[in-house]
């Protein structure tokens, strides 16, 4: 069963200026011997000081979030040329962060790789894509041991910023012109990430409607039951000038840091031990707050699973004289674990939610956990480690689609393809890498790219609702397993690792259609016999595809006009 992800993308020219002295054109950079630098790129290096750490000597996540938000905002403003605000920050996974950025007293440091005060956190932010008034900024955080020169990746984050150009109307950002293969890839999949953000609420709703979520932990797992009420935290903060950005709005990073603080207190109240933050689920900044506002932060443990708990935090803003008119400005969900001496997660007490909202949040936390795990499993694994078939269900289809497009765009971006064979203008290329062999078949047809896309994907409705894209188009497939597909002893189903079509409009009449495939072991022989010229199956199949497109293009053209 092929799982499909598809998209349309456009690259448009725009005049961008590079940061001082660095060429914004890779070709020019090569000529002058200088390093190419993305014109929106912002680099920030921070020396870790004792004031940046928590009581255990670890770099505080709140501090890291403030740095991330500042670097990302500067990058967004570099592109927009006007003030920008944080609209959201996607999920951040902290697997490699916390313990690596431990600040140890000197007498404990011998023989350890842990980082101590005086080491450096490097943050690199650049705009991946501008949409209308919003843009996606990609942020990479690494950490550097100054004594050895060693660097580690800490985490990757994606934030959306909205340009606040004119007070009266919505700003229209200039499009971004990606230059390098990596930039083009990020540009393409930024659209898929935007789709995931938009789909999240709907996915959660569907999951709660369509599935029975287990509300009781297995008996005997843990005898301690803690009423959720015992973990409740309420805290107020006064927004002062140092908490605000250059427009007088509270820094997104500052709000995130305050939220992390109350969430940590709620988590500690459940387990009476130091909790470790594992994941932050998307922060959504619903509305601004300013200097002089009071922010009321409320947190509670929504659910505790065997080894992890979800803490929810909500933030309301009000002015001194108008406490009754509180504005809900932010909500976020954070997952904590509690580690023992060996660094293993301990079994957590069972949480007893309050009736009403508490019980609803308890069930929603379970649904969010499933979405988080699906998403993490499908997206965060290295591409080569993802198993061939991924179980499909309604709630993970959007992540599978993202993953398909990401895998295909990675394959398309490779530069070491070599022409293996050519028959009657049907060209076959191959790519040998580690233990993988991929191939690509290409032909140029007298057809409109939109007709080809519609015929090959049969997603004719998509154009109507998906107005962010222009050409080229991508149709990406990957195997999924569906429980409704019982195994049949007479039929062996081949699996697809990564495959799909890319369709480029070359002139007004000609379109280039390329089929990519990362060969799975099951049909490797089939591929190699074609590459070696012992069979011409691919040519025959592609010619049949050409006839199919030519035969149906007029019908689809009529259909498209009627859309
Ligand atoms: N995640 C990503 N993008 C989002 C988003 C979210 N949760 N919510 C809105 N957006 C995007 C929209 O897709 C739209 O993008 P586009 O113009 O490129 O198509 C853009 O934001 C504007 O959306 P719109 O519906 O016109 O505006 P809005 O009323 O939803 O306002 C904000 C969006 C972000 C401007 C508004 O919610 C806000 O002011 N939030 C507070 C920002 C803040 O104070 N941040 C912290 C301090 S810097
Ligand atoms: P929801 O109730 O749908 O989860 P909210 O934005 O109202 O969304 O709240 C987000 C989270 O903030 C909740 O899941 C809960 O964990 C926490 N929260 C909300 N209200 C309170 C409160 N009065 N006291 C403590 N925590 C709260």
């Amino acid at each position: 069963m092929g799982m499909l992800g598809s998209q349309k993308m456009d690259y448009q020219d725009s005049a961008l200026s590079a940061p001082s002295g660095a060429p914004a054109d890779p070709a020019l950079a090569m000529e002058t011997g200088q390093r190419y630098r993305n014109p929106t790129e912002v680099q920030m290096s921070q020396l870790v000081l004792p004031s940046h750490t928590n009581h255990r000597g670890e770099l505080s996540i709140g501090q890291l979030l403030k740095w991330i938000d500042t670097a990302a905002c500067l990058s967004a403003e570099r592109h927009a040329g006007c003030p920008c605000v944080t609209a959201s920050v996607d999920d951040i996974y902290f697997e490699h962060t916390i313990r690596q950025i431990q600040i140890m007293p000197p007498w404990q440091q011998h023989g350890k790789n842990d980082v101590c005060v005086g080491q450096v956190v490097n943050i690199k932010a650049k705009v991946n894509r501008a949409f209308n008034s919003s843009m996606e900024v990609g942020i990479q955080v690494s950490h550097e041991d100054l004594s050895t020169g060693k660097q580690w990746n800490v985490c990757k984050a994606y934030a959306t910023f909205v340009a606040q150009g004119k007070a009266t109307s919505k700003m229209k950002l200039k499009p971004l012109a990606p230059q390098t293969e990596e930039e083009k890839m990020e540009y393409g999949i930024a659209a898929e990430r935007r789709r995931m953000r938009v789909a999240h609420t709907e996915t959660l709703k569907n999951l709660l409607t369509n599935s029975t979520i287990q509300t009781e932990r297995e008996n005997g797992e843990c005898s301690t039951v803690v009423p959720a009420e015992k973990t409740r935290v309420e805290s107020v903060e006064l927004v002062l000038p140092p908490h605000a950005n250059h427009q007088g709005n509270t820094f997104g990073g500052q709000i995130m840091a305050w939220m992390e603080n109350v969430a940590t207190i709620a988590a500690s109240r459940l387990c009476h031990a130091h909790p470790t933050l594992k994941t932050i689920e998307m922060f959504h900044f619903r509305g601004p707050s300013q200097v002089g506002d009071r922010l009321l932060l409320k947190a509670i443990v929504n659910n505790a699973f065997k080894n992890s708990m979800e803490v929810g935090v909500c933030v309301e803003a009000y002015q001194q004289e108008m406490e009754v008119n509180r504005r809900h400005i932010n909500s976020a969900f954070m997952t904590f674990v509690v580690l023992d001496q060996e660094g293993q997660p301990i079994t957590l007490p069972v949480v007893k939610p309050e009736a009403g909202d508490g019980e609803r949040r308890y069930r929603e936390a379970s649904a969010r956990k499933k979405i988080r795990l699906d998403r993490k499993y499908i997206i965060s694994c290295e591409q080569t480690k993802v198993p061939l078939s991924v179980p499909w269900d309604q709630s993970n289809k959007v992540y599978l689609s993202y993953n398909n497009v990401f895998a295909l765009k990675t394959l398309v971006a490779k530069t070491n393809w070599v022409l293996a064979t050519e028959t009657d203008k049907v060209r076959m290329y191959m790519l040998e890498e580690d233990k993988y062999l991929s191939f690509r078949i290409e032909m140029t047809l007298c057809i409109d790219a939109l007709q080809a896309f519609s015929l090959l994907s049969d997603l004719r409705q998509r154009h109507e609702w998906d107005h962010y894209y222009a050409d080229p188009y991508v149709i990406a497939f990957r195997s999924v397993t569906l429980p409704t597909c019982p195994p049949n002893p007479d039929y062996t189903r081949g699996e697809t690792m990564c495959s799909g079509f890319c369709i480029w409009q070359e002139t007004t009449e000609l379109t280039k259609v390329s089929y990519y495939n990362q060969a799975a072991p099951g049909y490797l022989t089939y591929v190699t016999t074609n590459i070696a010229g012992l069979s011409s199956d691919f040519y025959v199949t592609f010619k049949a595809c050409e006839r199919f497109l030519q035969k149906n293009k007029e019908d689809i053209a009529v259909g498209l006009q009627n859309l």
Side-chain angles (χ1 to χ4, degrees):
M1 174 79 196
M3 179 60 207
L4 194 115
S6 67
Q7 63 168 224
K8 244 173 112 187
M9 296 171 294
D10 62 334
Y11 303 130
Q12 295 168 45
D13 287 337
S14 72
L16 293 172
S17 61
S20 51
D25 173 356
L28 182 64
M30 254 165 85
E31 260 175 41
T32 56
Q34 280 179 278
R35 190 178 76 85
Y36 161 73
R37 180 128 174 224
N38 182 305
T40 68
E41 185 183 299
V42 165
Q43 291 189 16
M44 178 190 273
S45 290
Q46 294 283 354
L47 200 58
V48 178
L49 301 173
S51 57
H52 299 136
T53 67
N54 63 18
H55 64 287
R56 300 196 355 142
E58 300 160 347
L59 172 66
S60 112
I61 295 288
Q63 180 59 61
L64 186 61
L65 292 171
K66 284 195 226 174
W67 288 337
I68 289 178
D69 183 59
T70 310
C73 182
L74 294 177
S75 172
E77 292 187 349
R78 177 170 269 165
H79 179 68
C82 67
C84 295
V85 291
T86 325
S88 68
V89 181
D90 289 2
D91 301 5
I92 309 178
Y93 299 94
F94 287 105
E95 246 115 320
H96 309 292
T97 322
I98 322 295
R99 267 175 305 143
Q100 281 189 352
I101 308 190
Q102 260 183 6
I103 288 92
M104 307 283 284
W107 60 90
Q108 284 181 19
Q109 283 170 21
H110 296 292
K112 292 190 188 252
N113 281 331
D114 297 320
V115 184
C116 50
V117 168
Q119 297 201 322
V120 170
V121 171
N122 294 310
I123 300 173
K124 219 186 256 186
K126 67 177 168 60
V127 178
N128 289 331
R129 185 164 181 158
F131 298 98
N132 299 309
S133 67
S134 71
M135 65 217 112
E136 182 193 274
V137 181
I139 306 119
Q140 267 181 321
V141 184
S142 64
H143 122 257
E144 181 184 349
D145 179 341
L146 289 176
S147 60
T148 61
K150 258 176 112 175
Q151 297 225 16
W152 295 267
N153 285 332
V154 171
C155 64
K156 214 172 171 183
Y158 296 100
T160 305
F161 283 80
V162 175
Q164 307 271 284
K166 301 176 204 122
T168 45
S169 62
K170 207 170 142 170
M171 171 110 182
K172 176 75 189 129
L173 288 164
K174 60 183 179 246
L176 209 81
Q179 300 288 330
T180 65
E181 288 306 325
E182 191 260 340
E183 283 171 16
K184 286 179 187 167
M185 196 171 87
E186 288 289 1
Y187 179 94
I189 52 186
E192 289 299 314
R193 280 189 288 265
R194 177 181 168 92
R195 209 182 314 286
M196 281 200 295
R197 270 167 223 134
V198 174
H200 183 267
T201 315
E202 193 64 15
T203 307
L204 185 70
K205 214 167 77 196
N206 287 342
L207 198 59
L208 287 163
T209 324
N210 300 328
S211 42
T212 15
I213 287 163
Q214 194 191 334
T215 49
E216 297 291 326
R217 285 213 346 228
E218 278 168 36
N219 288 339
E221 215 180 55
C222 179
S223 55
T224 323
V225 179
V226 178
E229 182 55 28
K230 286 205 163 208
T231 70
R232 187 189 296 277
V233 183
E234 225 183 82
S235 179
V236 71
E237 298 283 353
L238 172 63
V239 181
L240 298 170
H243 303 135
N245 62 18
H246 38 303
Q247 306 136 49
N249 281 336
T250 321
F251 263 124
Q254 178 62 66
I255 299 176
M256 293 193 274
W258 281 330
M259 291 171 87
E260 193 258 335
N261 175 48
V262 288
T264 304
I265 298 172
S268 311
R269 284 186 177 160
L270 180 81
C271 57
H272 302 295
H274 176 76
T276 299
L277 181 63
K278 289 285 280 184
T279 315
I280 300 180
E281 198 151 306
M282 195 185 290
F283 276 101
H284 174 199
F285 293 91
R286 303 158 61 108
S289 62
Q290 289 85 26
V291 171
D293 277 345
R294 277 74 172 152
L295 299 193
L296 182 63
L297 296 113
K298 296 184 280 187
I300 197 165
V301 174
N302 284 337
N303 198 340
F305 308 99
K306 187 167 182 292
N307 294 132
S308 68
M309 67 181 108
E310 182 197 273
V311 182
V313 193
C314 99
V315 189
E316 291 169 346
Y318 61 92
Q319 288 166 351
Q320 187 190 7
E321 63 280 12
M322 295 203 292
E323 186 165 354
V324 280
N325 290 335
R326 295 205 295 241
R327 292 133 36 215
H328 180 187
I329 61 160
N330 202 320
S331 284
F333 303 95
M334 303 186 196
T335 305
F336 290 86
V337 292
V338 179
L339 302 174
D340 65 14
Q341 298 280 19
E342 274 76 49
Q344 296 304 312
I346 65 163
T347 304
L348 296 172
V350 171
V351 161
K352 186 166 176 355
E354 291 179 295
D357 272 350
E359 278 168 354
R360 171 183 59 82
R361 288 172 184 148
Y362 185 89
R363 274 183 288 111
E364 287 177 0
S366 296
R368 273 189 293 270
K369 182 177 178 186
K370 172 174 165 28
I371 293 174
R372 191 163 50 238
L373 291 177
D374 276 350
R375 187 178 149 122
K376 186 176 173 200
Y377 180 68
I378 296 167
I379 296 168
S380 313
C381 289
E382 280 175 43
Q383 293 300 313
T384 50
K385 289 192 185 148
V386 177
L388 291 190
S389 281
V390 180
W392 184 90
D393 69 44
Q394 187 67 24
S395 67
N396 70 9
K397 65 177 184 186
V398 68
Y399 314 127
L400 281 166
S401 170
Y402 169 87
N403 180 274
N404 294 351
V405 173
F406 181 85
L408 184 66
K409 292 288 296 168
T410 308
L411 198 58
V412 174
K414 306 264 185 203
T415 49
N416 37 345
W417 288 95
V418 288
L419 183 65
T421 146
E422 179 167 357
T423 314
D424 192 16
K425 298 204 177 117
V426 178
R427 295 171 297 280
M428 182 171 190
Y429 296 82
M430 60 181 252
L431 174 78
E432 283 180 272
E433 254 186 352
D434 301 329
K435 49 188 188 304
Y436 295 102
L437 174 68
S438 303
F439 65 90
R440 157 177 137 218
I441 310 181
E442 207 161 86
M443 62 182 170
T444 301
L445 298 175
C446 189
I447 190 172
D448 179 74
L450 180 55
Q451 292 170 349
F453 174 72
S454 304
L455 285 165
L456 289 170
S457 65
D458 201 22
L459 294 172
R460 280 171 285 172
Q461 304 294 334
R462 186 157 177 153
H463 182 65
E464 204 174 58
W465 53 262
D466 211 348
H467 55 277
Y468 296 113
Y469 307 109
D471 95 81
Y473 304 84
V474 177
I475 305 166
F477 302 93
R478 216 173 155 97
S479 285
V480 292
T481 39
L482 262 179
T484 47
C485 253
N488 181 343
D490 301 327
Y491 176 64
T492 314
R493 188 166 61 87
E495 289 190 300
T496 307
M497 191 134 185
C498 163
S499 67
F501 291 91
C502 282
I503 304 159
W504 287 274
Q505 183 89 49
E506 298 226 297
T507 65
T508 44
E509 289 184 345
L510 295 177
T511 289
K512 187 168 81 182
V513 176
S514 303
Y515 174 74
Y516 290 81
N517 197 312
Q518 192 170 24
Y523 63 101
L524 198 59
T525 326
Y526 182 68
V527 177
T528 47
T529 42
N530 274 270
I531 289 175
L534 301 170
S535 157
S536 55
D537 276 355
F538 283 123
Y539 168 73
V540 172
T541 313
F542 230 58
K543 276 288 170 191
C545 173
E546 182 182 3
R547 283 194 298 278
F548 160 76
L549 291 174
Q550 297 297 359
K551 185 167 142 254
N552 293 297
K553 71 176 183 185
E554 299 310 330
D555 292 348
I556 200 85
V558 173
L560 287 165
Q561 272 166 11
N562 293 337
L563 279 175

